[in-house]
Amino acid sequence: MKYYSLLISILWLGLGMKNSIAQNITGSLVHDGLTRNYTIYIPANYNAANAHPIVFNLHGYTSSGTAQASLTNMNAIADTAGFIVAYPEGTLDNSLQPYWNAGYGTGVDDIGFIDALIDVIAASYTIDLQRVYSTGLSNGGIMSNTLACALNDRIAAIAGVGGTMSIVQNNACSPSNKIPVMHIHGTSDIVVPYAGNGVLLGVNALITHWRTHNGLTSASSSTAFSNTSLLDGSTADLIAYETGSNYPVHLIRVNNGGHSWPGSGVIVSGSTNMDFDASLEIWKFFSQYRLLTSTDKIEGTGYANWINLEGANPIQNELQWSTNIEENYSVRVYNLLGMPLLNQSFEGSKTATMKVNHLPAGAYLAVYTTNNKVQTLKFIKA
């Protein structure tokens, strides 16, 4: 049974309030009887009136969320792109080292923990529930693949760095939804070998797994990154599998690269490639996709704000809005724990309303969706 509760209060940013100073917020929740810790980074351009994506950035074995934030420097990208970064902490294994139970371990429910943490963040910040992503290094990359297997009704895309998937998990991983996947791996990685070992899949087997799941056929492109750093002893190629599906699989193969986060300048094991910034490439990949049941690529439609709420907010009985499109769309209302409460379809029109008089007083998210765009707005029910 999943249950959780906040042990500390999280700073609440009111509707429409802008946060001009970036913040690291630490917190804890109880899940399955364990106190779980985390840090979330709120970017400088956070605005509670807009829904923001979340990127879960998972640390490797023996590491921590703080170390992962320092290693990846993803917060700097979040300040520009406007997404929230979550740095949860794993639990201690039998050797008293922090780890993620990614298909092997002591039975800790890390899948349920991440699931609960999404709800906790949504309870205090305005997030886009269709744009929740996961990345991580080594054991954190393996855990991201675990989430793609077991939580892909909530995770929109993943990107693993130096961490594949357990062989046991591979045999059981058959999620209901397709999912965009990026993987970054050094061919000279001795911690998680590129060819795999008796516990973990090799990179080629991992890519084949997700290509098969997503219905992809052949490689559509192979592009070399410019070898801008001649001293790192490695090069990198982007191999993109996209033919036959809207759910691509991208492999960045780091030739002679070690067990590290490219672009970080930190050597974890072996050499660190400096020809590209892994954090930036991961966000560029994530930013294209959202969680939908059909096509999920966010196109440059020019309709960034195609829905506008009308009337007073807080509202009494009806949610009112106007739109500048003529195509049909649907509206789903969530509470701030991410639970769907209302779902209704609408024909294209300039104005529309939805009855919400039966909802309890409180804050809600209204998610407006067409075939190729989505917008999330927050409203208060009086």
Side-chain angles (χ1 to χ4, degrees):
M1 176 180 178
K2 183 180 78 172
Y3 63 94
Y4 52 90
S5 62
L6 283 171
L7 294 185
I8 70 165
S9 60
I10 303 176
L11 180 64
W12 169 258
L13 299 176
L15 183 65
M17 183 182 294
K18 292 185 178 180
N19 170 36
S20 59
I21 302 176
Q23 301 176 70
N24 280 299
I25 308 296
T26 59
S28 301
L29 64 88
V30 175
H31 177 75
D32 279 357
L34 297 175
T35 299
R36 306 299 303 269
N37 301 317
Y38 60 87
T39 300
I40 54 176
Y41 180 76
I42 308 301
N45 59 0
Y46 174 83
N47 186 338
N50 302 321
H52 297 260
I54 303 176
V55 174
F56 281 84
N57 194 350
L58 308 180
H59 65 75
Y61 181 57
T62 76
S63 189
S64 68
T66 301
Q68 183 71 4
S70 177
L71 173 70
T72 62
N73 198 30
M74 190 165 279
N75 295 352
I77 299 171
D79 280 335
T80 300
F83 59 89
I84 293 171
V85 193
Y87 299 98
E89 303 288 346
T91 58
L92 301 182
D93 68 0
N94 293 331
S95 300
L96 301 182
Q97 296 293 339
Y99 88 112
W100 297 104
N101 181 20
Y104 55 90
T106 59
V108 174
D109 181 17
D110 280 327
I111 297 168
F113 166 49
I114 299 297
D115 190 19
L117 186 52
I118 294 172
D119 295 336
V120 166
I121 298 172
S124 292
Y125 297 93
T126 311
I127 68 168
D128 189 337
L129 295 171
Q130 292 178 304
R131 302 189 68 193
V132 180
Y133 312 102
S134 183
T135 187
L137 174 65
S138 193
N139 184 218
I142 300 169
M143 186 64 200
S144 293
N145 278 277
T146 297
L147 296 176
C149 293
L151 201 63
N152 84 342
D153 60 334
R154 306 204 74 182
I155 303 296
I158 66 159
V161 180
T164 58
M165 181 191 299
S166 76
I167 293 173
V168 172
Q169 187 175 66
N170 173 62
N171 296 329
C173 177
S174 182
S176 56
N177 297 327
K178 297 177 180 179
I179 184 169
V181 172
M182 170 176 275
H183 188 75
I184 302 172
H185 213 112
T187 60
S188 297
D189 190 330
I190 62 173
V191 178
V192 179
Y194 194 90
N197 53 31
V199 177
L200 298 172
L201 287 181
V203 173
N204 291 338
L206 177 75
I207 297 302
T208 297
H209 171 92
W210 289 120
R211 283 180 57 194
T212 300
H213 177 72
N214 288 353
L216 295 160
T217 53
S218 59
S220 61
S221 65
S222 179
T223 307
F225 286 87
S226 297
N227 189 19
T228 56
S229 178
L230 300 179
L231 300 179
D232 60 17
S234 61
T235 60
D237 299 306
L238 169 62
I239 304 169
Y241 298 90
E242 297 182 341
T243 306
S245 172
N246 290 318
Y247 300 85
V249 173
H250 287 188
L251 168 63
I252 299 182
R253 183 184 62 211
V254 184
N255 307 301
N256 201 38
H259 190 72
S260 59
W261 192 276
S264 69
V266 176
I267 298 177
V268 179
S269 174
S271 64
T272 299
N273 183 273
M274 297 300 293
D275 297 331
F276 70 99
D277 184 333
S279 294
L280 181 59
E281 293 301 318
I282 288 168
W283 174 246
K284 285 164 58 178
F285 182 77
F286 284 167
S287 67
Q288 302 178 80
Y289 304 103
R290 64 177 182 265
L291 188 65
L292 287 178
T293 55
S294 56
T295 178
D296 67 343
K297 189 163 185 177
I298 299 173
E299 305 292 349
T301 60
Y303 294 107
N305 294 295
W306 52 280
I307 295 288
N308 290 294
L309 294 185
E310 303 290 344
N313 192 8
I315 65 176
Q316 297 291 332
N317 298 315
E318 288 186 337
L319 180 64
Q320 305 175 37
W321 65 88
S322 61
T323 176
N324 57 5
I325 65 169
E326 297 182 354
E327 61 191 290
N328 296 341
Y329 59 95
S330 64
V331 181
R332 178 166 289 185
V333 174
Y334 297 84
N335 64 19
L336 291 187
L337 292 180
M339 298 174 59
L341 304 175
L342 300 173
N343 189 23
Q344 189 172 342
S345 297
F346 293 85
E347 295 182 356
S349 62
K350 295 302 180 184
T351 60
T353 62
M354 174 186 278
K355 294 285 188 182
V356 295
N357 55 299
H358 63 288
L359 294 178
Y364 297 89
L365 300 177
V367 180
Y368 297 80
T369 305
T370 71
N371 284 333
N372 64 355
K373 47 189 173 288
V374 63
Q375 186 173 343
T376 303
L377 296 174
K378 189 175 184 178
F379 68 93
I380 305 295
K381 170 65 169 58

